Structure formats: structure tokens, C-alpha cells
Amino acid sequence: MFGSEMLDIAIGMIFVYLLLSLICSSVNELIERQLKNRAADLEQGLRELLDDKDGTKLVTEIYQHGMINGLFKGDYKPDVNSNLPSYIPSRNFALAIMSVVTSKDPGNIQSAVGKIESPKVRNALTAMLELAGNDAQKFRDSIENWFNSTMDRVSGWYKRRSQLIIFVLGFSAAAVININSVSIANNLWIHKAERDAMVSAAQGYLATHPAKDGAPTGQDSSLKANIEGIESYGLPIGWKVPLPNDTSGSLLGWLITAFAVSLGAPFWFDVLNKFIVIRSTVKPHEKSQEETSKN
């Protein structure tokens, strides 16, 4: 019985962290969209890939190429990235770079590659060309893989920045609204009705939000719906809740909340699924034991 109570508390806490993560992720997306950080990250990644720090050489040629320029409005300006795309398909990049390179010597691809100014790019394309031989498809595939490996690094930049921003948002929300993980866990431990309500809500949430790539989907996962969900469960959230005399306890609870939220919604969604499955096996087992003891 004790184990099932702890399991229910864990499910309640996980569900709270999931909703808070969704809220902070939504705010982070609004921030990223407003600041156009993804487009800036992509441009920086291309500058590093093409060894063009100021973006005035190969990077300009790539962005101005029809395969890329059609993805955004206007012309590319190295010092202005407000209209740049936040995503470039690898195929578009490969076709653009092949076109730009061959234009340097249309009759001889090897000679054209040799005329590239950057030694790093020249060496990379030469190695890919030697591997492909006379197979243009293999050459294009190698360029796509080259591009994708850089985009993996760019994605890493975005994820690390997002995790930091979400941590700050999580801590700010925890401090401003008083979302104390310690108080919430203690409240769920004391009040069985609220604990059962949280478990039921978590189960209902999973039933109405199918998973896609480890993250919840559905219209109800909007920012407004998640905020209303947090407010509707009767948890000890807000400044009307009596605060402990030791303020360090509140700080600890806020930090726990912030660290949990920074792990992201996909993480908590996956964990919640697993705990619900565990609960579905533990509860019937405990019930059968109780019936056997009565007999």
C-alpha cells in the first residue's frame, strides 16, 4: 500500500512537471520566434561549414542561389538575418553547392572544386568527389551528409540555449507564482483525494494526447490549456499558500521545479507513460493480495 501511494505521488509530480514544461517550452518558442534565433544559428552553422566567417563569399552565393533563396523573402545580407529561413533541406543545400561549384568551371568538376578559395571546403569537396567517382548521386549524397552533420551541431546549440532559457523561465515561474515542489509533494502525500485526482488527470491526459517522437500532441497541449490545467487541480500554488518560516525551503522547492522543467516536456511525457504502465500492474496485484488475505 505504501508503495502505491509513493507511486501516485510520483505520477502527480511528473504530471505537474510535464504541464510546466509545456508552458515554458511554449514561451521559449515565442521568444525564439521573435528573436529569430534558429535562423541566426543556421546562418552561423553555414558560415562555419563553408569557412566564411563574414558571410560575404560562399555563404552569400548559397543564400542567393535559387534553391535556397526561394525559402525566404528578399536578398541575403550578411549583417541582416531577419528574413532568413530557420530550416534548409539538405537536398536543397547539396544542389545549391554543386551548382555554385560547377559554375566556376562548367566543363570540369574537379577543376571547379580546385578553384574554391577556402582550403577547408576545397579539401572536403575533393574528398567527397574522389569517393563518388563519376557518380553524381553519390557526390550529392556525400554533400547532404556533410551538411546534416553540421546541422546536428546547430541543433545542439539550439537545445543547449533552450534548456537554459527554459530553466530560467521555470525558476522565474516557480518564484513568481510560488510553485514549490516540496510543498506540492507534501500536499499530495497528505491529501489522498488530490492525489487520486492528479493520477486520474494524468491518465486522462495521456488518453487524449497521443505521442509523436516522445512528445504529446493535440490541440489541448496549447499554452492556455496547460495554464488552466495547472490552476484547476487545487495544488498549493500561489502566494495565498502559507509559507514556511525557513525561506531556504522555498528556494530549494523552486530550484527543484526549475531543474525538473529544464529536462523538457518529451522527457516527462515519456516518464509519465512508464509510471502509468507500472501503476496499472502494481494496483491489480495489491488488490489481489488484499482479497487473498481476507479469505
Side-chain angles (χ1 to χ4, degrees):
M1 192 68 179
F2 177 79
S4 63
E5 290 179 348
M6 294 300 296
L7 188 60
D8 288 351
I9 293 172
I11 290 173
M13 296 300 298
I14 292 168
F15 187 45
V16 170
Y17 293 148
L18 170 60
L19 294 181
L20 287 174
S21 296
L22 288 169
I23 292 169
C24 292
S25 295
S26 297
V27 175
N28 176 60
E29 282 296 319
L30 293 175
I31 294 173
E32 292 285 347
R33 195 179 307 163
Q34 186 67 29
L35 298 179
K36 301 183 184 298
N37 285 331
R38 285 183 175 176
D41 286 346
L42 177 56
E43 183 195 20
Q44 183 59 37
L46 285 179
R47 290 190 181 194
E48 292 189 8
L49 177 67
L50 300 176
D51 193 26
D52 185 5
K53 293 183 179 180
D54 55 7
T56 57
K57 299 173 184 176
L58 267 179
V59 171
T60 295
E61 292 185 73
I62 292 299
Y63 271 113
Q64 291 293 83
H65 193 277
M67 293 299 299
I68 308 299
N69 189 254
L71 301 175
F72 64 98
K73 295 181 179 179
D75 296 325
Y76 172 72
K77 297 178 181 179
D79 298 328
V80 181
N81 62 4
S82 59
N83 63 334
L84 296 182
S86 58
Y87 171 74
I88 295 176
S90 58
R91 178 183 174 85
N92 290 44
F93 173 82
L95 292 173
I97 195 71
M98 290 174 70
S99 176
V100 168
V101 170
T102 54
S103 67
K104 300 181 183 300
D105 191 342
N108 191 326
I109 181 65
Q110 292 183 338
S111 175
V113 169
K115 293 180 180 180
I116 295 176
E117 183 177 345
S118 168
K120 294 180 180 179
V121 178
R122 185 170 63 247
N123 291 342
L125 290 176
T126 298
M128 287 184 275
L129 189 60
E130 291 176 352
L131 180 64
N134 295 323
D135 193 329
Q137 178 66 43
K138 286 185 178 180
F139 185 45
R140 194 188 75 192
D141 290 342
S142 296
I143 295 176
E144 289 186 21
N145 292 333
W146 182 47
F147 174 77
N148 287 331
S149 63
T150 296
M151 291 304 101
D152 289 340
R153 291 182 56 231
V154 172
S155 296
W157 300 343
Y158 172 77
K159 289 178 181 178
R160 286 191 293 272
R161 184 179 62 247
S162 292
Q163 190 171 34
L164 177 60
I165 293 174
I166 290 174
F167 173 81
V168 173
L169 290 173
F171 184 80
S172 299
V176 172
I177 311 175
N178 188 29
I179 307 175
N180 187 329
S181 288
V182 177
S183 297
I184 294 173
N186 184 60
N187 183 77
L188 291 175
W189 171 258
I190 296 173
H191 301 98
K192 184 179 183 303
E194 290 185 11
R195 189 166 66 240
D196 292 341
M198 289 296 293
V199 171
S200 178
Q203 291 173 327
Y205 185 90
L206 293 180
T208 56
H209 292 74
K212 181 180 181 181
D213 298 328
T217 60
Q219 295 181 345
D220 290 338
S221 59
S222 65
L223 176 62
K224 181 180 179 181
N226 291 317
I227 292 175
E228 291 175 350
I230 287 287
E231 295 174 343
S232 66
Y233 297 124
L235 298 172
I237 294 175
W239 290 108
K240 293 182 180 180
V241 179
L243 298 178
N245 294 327
D246 184 9
T247 56
S248 62
S250 294
L251 180 61
L252 175 62
W254 298 339
L255 283 172
I256 293 174
T257 300
F259 277 117
V261 168
S262 69
L263 293 176
F267 172 82
W268 290 117
F269 187 78
D270 184 53
V271 172
L272 182 61
N273 268 295
K274 292 177 180 178
F275 269 71
I276 291 296
V277 170
I278 294 172
R279 185 180 187 276
S280 66
T281 58
V282 170
K283 283 291 186 179
H285 180 68
E286 287 186 350
K287 185 176 181 180
S288 62
Q289 283 185 332
E290 290 176 0
E291 291 177 349
T292 302
S293 62
K294 289 179 180 179
N295 294 335

